[in-house]
Amino acid sequence: MKSVTVRFKLNGDPVESTVDARMHLVDFLREQHELSSPRVGCEHGVCGACTLRVDGVTVRGCLLLAAQIDGCAVETIEGLSQSGEIADLQQAFHQRNAMQCGFCTSGMLMASQEYLASASSVSREAIREHLAGNYCRCTGYEAIVDAVESVAGSRGIPRAEARP
C-alpha cells in the first residue's frame, strides 16, 4: 500500500502524519488521532455521523480521503468544544435531552452550528431542512429542533416570518 505524508491543522494544532493513501478521513482521525466524535455510520455520506469541518466547510469524513487534507484546517467537535464555539448548543442539547444515545450528536451539533452561523432568521422548518442529512436513530428530532431553536433565540437570530 502506498503511504503519503499529510501536513494540516487539527483543531488548531499543526500535525504531520503518514497515512495509507486510501484511508478515509474519519478512520484516520479515529484510529491515528484517537478522536471519537466523528463516527463511522453508513460510510456513504448520507447519515451525517462523520460530519466535521475542513477549511471551515462542513463535510462528510467518510467521503474524503485523509490524503486530501494536506494543507487544510480540520475541525472536530473536540476542537469546537475546546474553543467554546458550541458551548451554548451543547448546553441546549443537554437541557432538551436532544442527545439520547449520542451516536448522532457530534454530527448534529456540527450541522446545527453551521446552520446558526449562516442563518439570518430561523424557523423550525428551516432547521429541519438543514439537519435532514443527519440521521437520528432514536428519533430525537423534535428535541434537537427545540435545542437549535432555543440557541438561535439566545444568539439573537430572529424568527422567520411564517409563510402564507
Side-chain angles (χ1 to χ4, degrees):
M1 283 188 206
K2 181 177 174 155
S3 293
V4 296
T5 299
V6 290
R7 292 171 191 83
F8 63 103
K9 285 198 174 184
L10 178 58
N11 295 324
D13 296 326
V15 172
E16 182 174 324
S17 293
T18 301
V19 61
D20 174 356
R22 297 179 301 166
M23 181 177 254
H24 289 103
L25 179 56
V26 67
D27 296 321
F28 172 65
L29 294 173
R30 290 182 65 79
E31 294 172 17
Q32 290 192 25
H33 293 280
E34 299 179 354
L35 294 170
S36 60
S37 71
R39 304 277 205 281
V40 178
C42 69
E43 298 184 74
H44 296 286
V46 296
C47 76
C50 63
T51 303
L52 44 93
R53 287 195 310 212
V54 175
D55 290 339
V57 178
T58 302
V59 300
R60 303 293 199 226
C62 71
L63 297 179
L64 282 177
L65 297 175
Q68 292 176 277
I69 63 164
D70 191 48
C72 295
V74 177
E75 297 170 285
T76 65
I77 287 299
E78 289 89 350
L80 298 185
S81 295
Q82 289 169 359
S83 73
E85 180 179 337
I86 59 168
D88 55 352
L89 265 173
Q90 290 173 309
Q91 181 67 26
F93 269 56
H94 176 73
Q95 289 174 337
R96 305 274 180 167
N97 195 29
M99 297 182 289
Q100 297 195 21
C101 84
F103 193 83
C104 73
T105 304
S106 58
M108 287 289 187
L109 285 167
M110 193 72 73
S112 297
Q113 176 61 12
E114 175 187 52
Y115 172 75
L116 292 169
S118 64
S120 57
S121 63
V122 298
S123 69
R124 293 182 69 81
E125 179 181 310
I127 294 168
R128 282 186 191 97
E129 185 175 317
H130 190 83
L131 298 179
N134 292 74
Y135 296 162
C136 174
R137 294 174 174 109
C138 300
T139 67
Y141 293 111
E142 286 303 310
I144 292 166
V145 172
D146 291 345
V148 175
E149 184 179 46
S150 72
V151 170
S154 68
R155 289 185 183 181
I157 303 170
R159 291 187 57 78
E161 292 188 29
R163 294 183 185 170

